[in-house]
Amino acid sequence: MKRIFENYSFVLPAILFLMIFLLYPFAFNVFLSFRDINIGNLINGSSPFIGIENYKTILTDPLFYKSLSQTVIFTFFTLVVSTTIGFLLASYFNKTFPGNKWMRSIMLLGWMTPIIITGTIFKWMLDGKYGVFNHILVNLGIIDSPINWLSDIDTALFAVTMTNIWLSIPFSMIILLSGLQGIPTYVYEPATIDGASRWQKFRYITLPLMKPTISILLILGLIYTFKVFDVIYIMTAGGPADATKVVSYLAYDLSFNLFRFGEGAALSNIALFLIALFAIVYVRKVQKESVID
Protein backbone atom coordinates (compact mmCIF):
# COMPACT_ATOMS: atom_id res chain seq x y z
CA MET A 1 0.00 0.00 0.00
CA LYS A 2 2.83 2.32 0.93
CA ARG A 3 4.64 1.54 -2.33
CA ILE A 4 1.47 2.27 -4.35
CA PHE A 5 1.05 5.59 -2.57
CA GLU A 6 4.69 6.47 -3.25
CA ASN A 7 4.32 5.63 -6.93
CA TYR A 8 1.18 7.76 -7.33
CA SER A 9 2.70 10.61 -5.35
CA PHE A 10 5.10 11.22 -8.27
CA VAL A 11 2.25 11.87 -10.72
CA LEU A 12 0.02 13.70 -8.23
CA PRO A 13 1.50 17.18 -9.01
CA ALA A 14 0.91 16.62 -12.72
CA ILE A 15 -2.69 15.49 -12.08
CA LEU A 16 -3.37 18.52 -9.88
CA PHE A 17 -1.84 20.82 -12.49
CA LEU A 18 -4.05 19.37 -15.24
CA MET A 19 -7.18 19.58 -13.10
CA ILE A 20 -6.60 23.19 -11.99
CA PHE A 21 -5.24 24.74 -15.17
CA LEU A 22 -6.85 22.61 -17.90
CA LEU A 23 -9.88 20.60 -16.86
CA TYR A 24 -11.50 23.20 -14.59
CA PRO A 25 -11.23 26.12 -17.10
CA PHE A 26 -12.54 23.86 -19.87
CA ALA A 27 -15.49 22.64 -17.75
CA PHE A 28 -16.28 26.19 -16.64
CA ASN A 29 -16.17 27.41 -20.26
CA VAL A 30 -18.67 24.69 -21.24
CA PHE A 31 -20.85 25.77 -18.29
CA LEU A 32 -20.77 29.41 -19.45
CA SER A 33 -21.69 28.48 -23.02
CA PHE A 34 -25.11 27.22 -21.88
CA ARG A 35 -25.89 30.33 -19.82
CA ASP A 36 -27.13 33.81 -20.66
CA ILE A 37 -24.36 35.91 -19.16
CA ASN A 38 -23.99 39.53 -20.23
CA ILE A 39 -23.09 42.85 -18.63
CA GLY A 40 -26.69 43.22 -17.37
CA ASN A 41 -27.06 40.01 -15.36
CA LEU A 42 -23.35 39.79 -14.49
CA ILE A 43 -23.84 42.52 -11.88
CA ASN A 44 -26.72 40.81 -10.07
CA GLY A 45 -25.05 37.38 -10.33
CA SER A 46 -27.81 35.63 -12.26
CA SER A 47 -26.96 33.32 -15.15
CA PRO A 48 -30.15 31.70 -16.53
CA PHE A 49 -29.79 28.38 -18.37
CA ILE A 50 -30.69 28.83 -22.06
CA GLY A 51 -29.55 25.52 -23.55
CA ILE A 52 -27.89 25.75 -26.97
CA GLU A 53 -29.13 29.26 -27.78
CA ASN A 54 -25.59 30.69 -27.66
CA TYR A 55 -24.42 28.09 -30.19
CA LYS A 56 -27.41 28.87 -32.46
CA THR A 57 -26.60 32.58 -32.31
CA ILE A 58 -22.96 31.97 -33.24
CA LEU A 59 -23.72 29.51 -36.06
CA THR A 60 -26.29 31.87 -37.66
CA ASP A 61 -24.06 34.94 -37.46
CA PRO A 62 -22.45 35.85 -40.85
CA LEU A 63 -19.50 37.35 -38.97
CA PHE A 64 -18.63 33.89 -37.63
CA TYR A 65 -18.31 32.46 -41.15
CA LYS A 66 -16.30 35.49 -42.28
CA SER A 67 -13.89 35.10 -39.35
CA LEU A 68 -13.69 31.34 -39.96
CA SER A 69 -12.75 31.81 -43.64
CA GLN A 70 -10.15 34.42 -42.66
CA THR A 71 -8.77 32.01 -40.04
CA VAL A 72 -8.46 29.26 -42.66
CA ILE A 73 -6.62 31.61 -45.08
CA PHE A 74 -4.38 32.91 -42.27
CA THR A 75 -3.57 29.36 -41.09
CA PHE A 76 -3.10 27.79 -44.53
CA PHE A 77 -0.63 30.35 -45.88
CA THR A 78 1.26 30.52 -42.58
CA LEU A 79 1.76 26.74 -42.54
CA VAL A 80 2.64 26.35 -46.23
CA VAL A 81 5.06 29.27 -46.49
CA SER A 82 6.75 28.90 -43.07
CA THR A 83 7.21 25.12 -43.55
CA THR A 84 8.65 25.58 -47.06
CA ILE A 85 11.09 28.33 -46.02
CA GLY A 86 11.87 26.45 -42.79
CA PHE A 87 12.75 23.33 -44.80
CA LEU A 88 15.07 25.29 -47.10
CA LEU A 89 16.81 26.90 -44.12
CA ALA A 90 17.06 23.57 -42.27
CA SER A 91 18.66 21.96 -45.35
CA TYR A 92 21.14 24.83 -45.53
CA PHE A 93 22.08 24.69 -41.83
CA ASN A 94 22.30 20.89 -41.93
CA LYS A 95 25.58 21.29 -43.79
CA THR A 96 28.90 21.95 -42.08
CA PHE A 97 30.41 25.35 -42.85
CA PRO A 98 32.15 28.14 -40.89
CA GLY A 99 29.74 30.28 -38.89
CA ASN A 100 26.94 27.71 -38.95
CA LYS A 101 26.26 27.85 -35.20
CA TRP A 102 26.21 31.63 -34.75
CA MET A 103 24.12 32.12 -37.92
CA ARG A 104 21.64 29.58 -36.56
CA SER A 105 21.56 31.44 -33.25
CA ILE A 106 20.77 34.71 -35.04
CA MET A 107 17.88 33.02 -36.82
CA LEU A 108 16.41 32.09 -33.45
CA LEU A 109 16.44 35.68 -32.18
CA GLY A 110 13.20 36.41 -34.03
CA TRP A 111 11.53 33.45 -32.35
CA MET A 112 12.80 34.39 -28.88
CA THR A 113 11.68 38.02 -29.17
CA PRO A 114 8.34 38.68 -27.40
CA ILE A 115 5.46 38.83 -29.87
CA ILE A 116 4.36 42.24 -28.61
CA ILE A 117 7.74 43.67 -29.69
CA THR A 118 7.76 41.89 -33.04
CA GLY A 119 4.17 42.93 -33.74
CA THR A 120 4.91 46.56 -32.89
CA ILE A 121 8.02 46.60 -35.10
CA PHE A 122 6.12 45.13 -38.04
CA LYS A 123 3.35 47.66 -37.44
CA TRP A 124 5.89 50.47 -37.86
CA MET A 125 7.50 48.81 -40.89
CA LEU A 126 4.11 48.46 -42.60
CA ASP A 127 2.98 51.99 -41.80
CA GLY A 128 1.42 53.67 -44.84
CA LYS A 129 3.28 56.95 -44.42
CA TYR A 130 6.61 56.21 -42.72
CA GLY A 131 7.00 52.43 -43.11
CA VAL A 132 10.27 51.10 -44.47
CA PHE A 133 8.39 48.37 -46.37
CA ASN A 134 6.73 50.95 -48.64
CA HIS A 135 10.02 52.82 -49.03
CA ILE A 136 11.78 49.68 -50.34
CA LEU A 137 8.96 48.67 -52.69
CA VAL A 138 8.63 52.18 -54.16
CA ASN A 139 12.40 52.45 -54.73
CA LEU A 140 12.45 49.03 -56.42
CA GLY A 141 9.58 50.14 -58.67
CA ILE A 142 7.27 47.32 -57.49
CA ILE A 143 4.55 49.78 -56.39
CA ASP A 144 3.90 53.36 -57.59
CA SER A 145 2.79 54.86 -54.28
CA PRO A 146 2.77 53.86 -50.57
CA ILE A 147 0.08 51.41 -49.45
CA ASN A 148 -1.72 51.51 -46.11
CA TRP A 149 -1.08 47.83 -45.50
CA LEU A 150 -2.86 47.59 -42.15
CA SER A 151 -5.64 50.10 -42.88
CA ASP A 152 -6.77 48.74 -46.24
CA ILE A 153 -9.29 45.87 -46.16
CA ASP A 154 -7.62 44.35 -49.27
CA THR A 155 -4.13 44.12 -47.74
CA ALA A 156 -4.60 43.93 -43.94
CA LEU A 157 -5.03 40.13 -43.78
CA PHE A 158 -2.01 39.66 -46.06
CA ALA A 159 0.07 41.94 -43.81
CA VAL A 160 -0.74 40.12 -40.55
CA THR A 161 -0.27 36.73 -42.26
CA MET A 162 3.16 37.81 -43.50
CA THR A 163 4.09 38.85 -39.95
CA ASN A 164 2.94 35.53 -38.52
CA ILE A 165 4.91 33.66 -41.20
CA TRP A 166 8.05 35.54 -40.15
CA LEU A 167 7.37 34.56 -36.53
CA SER A 168 6.81 30.89 -37.43
CA ILE A 169 9.87 30.29 -39.65
CA PRO A 170 12.47 29.81 -36.83
CA PHE A 171 10.29 27.23 -35.06
CA SER A 172 9.73 25.31 -38.32
CA MET A 173 13.45 25.45 -39.09
CA ILE A 174 14.48 24.03 -35.70
CA ILE A 175 11.97 21.14 -35.82
CA LEU A 176 12.91 20.22 -39.39
CA LEU A 177 16.64 20.59 -38.70
CA SER A 178 16.38 18.15 -35.80
CA GLY A 179 14.64 15.72 -38.18
CA LEU A 180 17.31 16.09 -40.87
CA GLN A 181 20.10 15.56 -38.36
CA GLY A 182 18.40 12.32 -37.27
CA ILE A 183 18.81 10.81 -40.77
CA PRO A 184 22.01 8.71 -40.85
CA THR A 185 24.43 9.51 -43.70
CA TYR A 186 24.83 5.86 -44.69
CA VAL A 187 21.31 5.71 -46.15
CA TYR A 188 22.50 8.05 -48.93
CA GLU A 189 25.57 5.96 -49.83
CA PRO A 190 23.81 3.39 -52.11
CA ALA A 191 22.06 6.25 -53.95
CA THR A 192 25.39 8.06 -54.39
CA ILE A 193 26.99 4.89 -55.78
CA ASP A 194 24.08 4.48 -58.21
CA GLY A 195 24.57 8.07 -59.41
CA ALA A 196 21.35 9.55 -58.02
CA SER A 197 20.97 13.33 -58.35
CA ARG A 198 20.34 15.67 -55.38
CA TRP A 199 16.68 15.96 -56.32
CA GLN A 200 16.31 12.15 -56.49
CA LYS A 201 17.94 11.78 -53.04
CA PHE A 202 15.59 14.40 -51.66
CA ARG A 203 12.48 12.94 -53.35
CA TYR A 204 13.07 9.26 -52.57
CA ILE A 205 15.11 9.32 -49.34
CA THR A 206 14.93 12.62 -47.43
CA LEU A 207 11.25 13.43 -47.95
CA PRO A 208 9.86 9.96 -46.96
CA LEU A 209 12.09 9.84 -43.87
CA MET A 210 11.05 13.38 -42.92
CA LYS A 211 7.32 12.68 -43.24
CA PRO A 212 6.78 11.97 -39.49
CA THR A 213 8.63 15.17 -38.53
CA ILE A 214 6.70 17.24 -41.08
CA SER A 215 3.37 15.80 -39.90
CA ILE A 216 4.14 16.68 -36.27
CA LEU A 217 5.22 20.16 -37.33
CA LEU A 218 2.02 20.72 -39.34
CA ILE A 219 -0.20 19.51 -36.49
CA LEU A 220 1.56 21.74 -33.97
CA GLY A 221 1.52 24.65 -36.44
CA LEU A 222 -2.19 24.15 -37.21
CA ILE A 223 -3.13 24.13 -33.52
CA TYR A 224 -0.94 27.15 -32.74
CA THR A 225 -1.87 29.24 -35.78
CA PHE A 226 -5.61 28.55 -35.57
CA LYS A 227 -5.70 30.15 -32.12
CA VAL A 228 -3.33 33.06 -32.80
CA PHE A 229 -4.60 36.16 -31.07
CA ASP A 230 -1.70 38.40 -30.01
CA VAL A 231 -0.46 39.32 -33.51
CA ILE A 232 -3.95 40.39 -34.56
CA TYR A 233 -4.55 42.28 -31.31
CA ILE A 234 -1.29 44.27 -31.57
CA MET A 235 -1.35 45.07 -35.29
CA THR A 236 -5.00 45.62 -36.30
CA ALA A 237 -7.34 44.73 -33.40
CA GLY A 238 -9.45 42.81 -35.91
CA GLY A 239 -9.87 45.74 -38.30
CA PRO A 240 -10.30 47.42 -40.66
CA ALA A 241 -14.01 46.55 -41.02
CA ASP A 242 -13.43 43.05 -39.52
CA ALA A 243 -10.97 42.23 -42.34
CA THR A 244 -8.51 40.56 -39.93
CA LYS A 245 -10.97 39.30 -37.34
CA VAL A 246 -10.09 35.62 -36.94
CA VAL A 247 -12.06 33.19 -34.74
CA SER A 248 -9.88 33.65 -31.65
CA TYR A 249 -10.17 37.45 -31.83
CA LEU A 250 -13.94 37.26 -32.42
CA ALA A 251 -14.27 35.16 -29.23
CA TYR A 252 -12.27 37.78 -27.33
CA ASP A 253 -14.35 40.57 -28.86
CA LEU A 254 -17.63 38.93 -27.84
CA SER A 255 -16.48 38.27 -24.26
CA PHE A 256 -14.43 41.31 -23.31
CA ASN A 257 -15.55 44.13 -25.63
CA LEU A 258 -19.24 43.31 -26.09
CA PHE A 259 -19.60 41.47 -22.72
CA ARG A 260 -21.54 38.59 -24.34
CA PHE A 261 -19.72 36.01 -22.23
CA GLY A 262 -22.01 33.08 -23.06
CA GLU A 263 -21.58 33.54 -26.82
CA GLY A 264 -17.82 34.05 -26.41
CA ALA A 265 -17.60 30.76 -24.48
CA ALA A 266 -19.70 28.96 -27.11
CA LEU A 267 -17.44 30.23 -29.91
CA SER A 268 -14.34 29.11 -27.99
CA ASN A 269 -15.79 25.61 -27.67
CA ILE A 270 -16.58 25.53 -31.40
CA ALA A 271 -13.00 26.55 -32.19
CA LEU A 272 -11.66 23.87 -29.85
CA PHE A 273 -13.85 21.26 -31.55
CA LEU A 274 -12.59 22.29 -35.02
CA ILE A 275 -8.94 22.12 -33.93
CA ALA A 276 -9.45 18.66 -32.39
CA LEU A 277 -11.27 17.51 -35.54
CA PHE A 278 -8.51 18.69 -37.86
CA ALA A 279 -5.84 17.04 -35.71
CA ILE A 280 -7.67 13.69 -35.55
CA VAL A 281 -8.38 13.61 -39.31
CA TYR A 282 -4.80 14.49 -40.20
CA VAL A 283 -3.22 11.98 -37.78
CA ARG A 284 -5.40 9.17 -39.13
CA LYS A 285 -4.48 10.11 -42.69
CA VAL A 286 -0.76 10.07 -41.89
CA GLN A 287 -1.06 6.72 -40.08
CA LYS A 288 -2.93 5.25 -43.06
CA GLU A 289 -0.23 6.46 -45.47
CA SER A 290 2.48 5.00 -43.22
CA VAL A 291 0.78 1.58 -43.25
CA ILE A 292 0.46 1.69 -47.06
CA ASP A 293 4.11 2.70 -47.45
Side-chain angles (χ1 to χ4, degrees):
M1 187 67 183
K2 183 180 179 182
R3 180 180 291 276
I4 294 174
F5 176 76
E6 288 177 350
N7 291 337
Y8 278 100
S9 65
F10 286 103
V11 296
L12 186 60
I15 294 174
L16 288 175
F17 180 85
L18 288 174
M19 291 182 68
I20 295 172
F21 295 105
L22 185 63
L23 293 180
Y24 173 72
F26 173 71
F28 189 66
N29 199 59
V30 173
F31 170 80
L32 288 180
S33 67
F34 293 108
R35 302 278 170 171
D36 181 17
I37 305 177
N38 51 53
I39 193 63
N41 56 26
L42 183 67
I43 298 174
N44 57 33
S46 64
S47 56
F49 179 78
I50 57 172
I52 60 172
E53 285 303 316
N54 286 325
Y55 291 93
K56 285 183 178 178
T57 303
I58 292 296
L59 294 175
T60 54
D61 187 353
L63 184 57
F64 165 69
Y65 294 99
K66 181 179 181 180
S67 67
L68 184 61
S69 65
Q70 290 171 172
T71 304
V72 172
I73 294 170
F74 180 77
T75 304
F76 176 78
F77 284 102
T78 296
L79 288 180
V80 171
V81 178
S82 66
T83 303
T84 303
I85 297 176
F87 207 118
L88 293 174
L89 289 171
S91 301
Y92 176 71
F93 285 113
N94 194 37
K95 299 174 183 176
T96 303
F97 59 88
N100 182 311
K101 291 184 179 178
W102 67 264
M103 287 176 67
R104 199 188 307 172
S105 302
I106 291 175
M107 286 295 300
L108 292 177
L109 286 177
W111 184 45
M112 292 187 290
T113 305
I115 293 178
I116 188 170
I117 296 176
T118 305
T120 304
I121 291 173
F122 266 87
K123 191 174 180 180
W124 290 343
M125 291 171 62
L126 294 167
D127 185 85
K129 189 175 291 184
Y130 308 105
V132 67
F133 200 65
N134 275 330
H135 180 73
I136 294 172
L137 293 180
V138 169
N139 284 338
L140 291 176
I142 298 175
I143 58 175
D144 297 326
S145 58
I147 298 174
N148 291 316
W149 295 97
L150 299 175
S151 303
D152 191 324
I153 58 174
D154 295 325
T155 58
L157 185 60
F158 167 77
V160 294
T161 304
M162 187 176 64
T163 304
N164 199 56
I165 289 170
W166 190 88
L167 286 166
S168 305
I169 287 174
F171 177 74
S172 301
M173 184 195 75
I174 288 298
I175 297 294
L176 293 169
L177 181 60
S178 64
L180 288 174
Q181 291 180 339
I183 300 176
T185 55
Y186 65 80
V187 300
Y188 294 100
E189 291 175 359
T192 304
I193 294 171
D194 292 339
S197 64
R198 287 187 175 184
W199 166 250
Q200 288 172 325
K201 291 179 184 177
F202 172 78
R203 172 68 182 83
Y204 297 107
I205 298 176
T206 305
L207 198 56
L209 293 176
M210 285 292 292
K211 191 179 288 185
T213 305
I214 294 173
S215 65
I216 292 173
L217 175 64
L218 290 176
I219 291 170
L220 292 175
L222 175 67
I223 293 170
Y224 172 77
T225 310
F226 198 88
K227 62 183 181 63
V228 162
F229 166 80
D230 35 23
V231 174
I232 304 294
Y233 178 78
I234 295 164
M235 297 186 69
T236 62
D242 301 325
T244 60
K245 190 168 282 184
V246 294
V247 170
S248 59
Y249 193 88
L250 179 59
Y252 165 82
D253 202 27
L254 287 171
S255 296
F256 301 106
N257 287 333
L258 303 176
F259 302 109
R260 292 153 58 183
F261 298 104
E263 293 176 22
L267 179 55
S268 299
N269 290 334
I270 293 171
L272 179 62
F273 172 77
L274 290 175
I275 292 172
L277 191 65
F278 293 151
I280 291 171
V281 170
Y282 190 81
V283 168
R284 287 188 174 182
K285 187 175 185 303
V286 170
Q287 288 177 338
K288 188 177 179 181
E289 288 178 354
S290 300
V291 172
I292 293 173
D293 291 340

